[in-house]
Amino acid sequence: MTSLTLTINDLFLNHRQSLIHTIYRIVGCPQTAEDLAHEAYLKMLHASKVQEISYPHPFLYQIARNLALDHLRKEKIRQQSDSLQKNDKDVSNMLESIPSIAPSPEQQIADRQQVALMIDALSGLSERRRQILVLHKFHHWTYERIARHYGISRSAVEKNVHVALAHLLDAQGESPF
């Protein structure tokens, strides 16, 4: 077990009852609250393996709240589905009322234009800065790992990521400041 895993274990054990109580206030079921608290713990363990968690306590509670809200949404859909199955006429009406998740033609064009803008903006970055950004944002490497990989300081990595993101925002017409 790594020290990070031990820290997360301690955090979970120290805040387990409070976490369950927080979830219970959202979902209203003690068994579900316990299940979701455990799931939040597992998700945090998984997340700690792929990203640096600066503030573990609020991160754990945010995971728990998100899981509780997702549970409520699923329950609502399940209840609607159960009531609709009782009446076939309502089922067909419900299916017609479900909005399509497919983007509209206008949205597809806008998305393609956005992608083209980002590709152009990325090509405007130096090769090293682009690689640092990709390693950090898409491969979830920590600043320290990137710094070791390139033989540069952590602050140099932070600066490269910041400048690259500012460049991408500027290309979108959004000012980072």
Side-chain angles (χ1 to χ4, degrees), residues 85-104:
Q85 287 178 359
K86 294 176 185 171
N87 186 343
D88 287 339
K89 189 184 291 186
D90 286 342
V91 171
S92 64
N93 291 340
M94 177 64 170
L95 291 175
E96 291 171 9
S97 69
I98 295 176
S100 172
I101 59 171
S104 67

Side-chain angles (χ1 to χ4, degrees), residues 16-87:
R16 184 176 175 273
Q17 287 305 320
S18 173
L19 190 64
I20 291 170
H21 181 69
T22 300
I23 297 169
Y24 173 74
R25 287 187 314 214
I26 297 171
V27 299
C29 173
Q31 293 84 10
T32 301
E34 285 192 40
D35 291 345
L36 293 176
H38 185 255
E39 189 175 343
Y41 163 73
L42 293 175
K43 282 189 176 283
M44 185 164 179
L45 275 179
H46 176 71
S48 70
K49 293 177 184 173
V50 295
Q51 72 187 49
E52 182 178 334
I53 301 172
S54 301
Y55 303 98
H57 181 259
F59 187 74
L60 177 63
Y61 275 79
Q62 188 61 52
I63 291 171
R65 279 189 289 278
N66 290 347
L67 287 170
L69 293 173
D70 286 347
H71 173 78
L72 289 180
R73 286 185 202 104
K74 289 175 186 173
E75 276 299 308
K76 184 176 179 180
I77 290 169
R78 194 174 301 123
Q79 288 172 358
Q80 288 174 348
S81 175
D82 289 346
S83 67
L84 288 175
Q85 287 178 359
K86 294 176 185 171
N87 186 343

Side-chain angles (χ1 to χ4, degrees), residues 119-171:
I119 289 171
D120 287 345
L122 283 169
S123 67
L125 294 171
S126 69
E127 182 65 24
R128 181 167 150 174
R129 186 164 281 158
R130 184 172 47 252
Q131 288 175 352
I132 288 172
L133 179 68
V134 167
L135 288 173
H136 181 65
K137 290 297 180 183
F138 297 104
H139 296 285
H140 307 291
W141 281 26
T142 64
Y143 290 143
E144 290 80 13
R145 183 175 178 189
I146 296 169
R148 283 192 309 272
H149 179 75
Y150 283 102
I152 58 177
S153 69
R154 182 184 194 282
S155 63
V157 173
E158 289 175 2
K159 179 183 175 195
N160 275 285
V161 169
H162 178 76
V163 169
L165 290 173
H167 178 76
L168 294 178
L169 287 173
D170 187 48

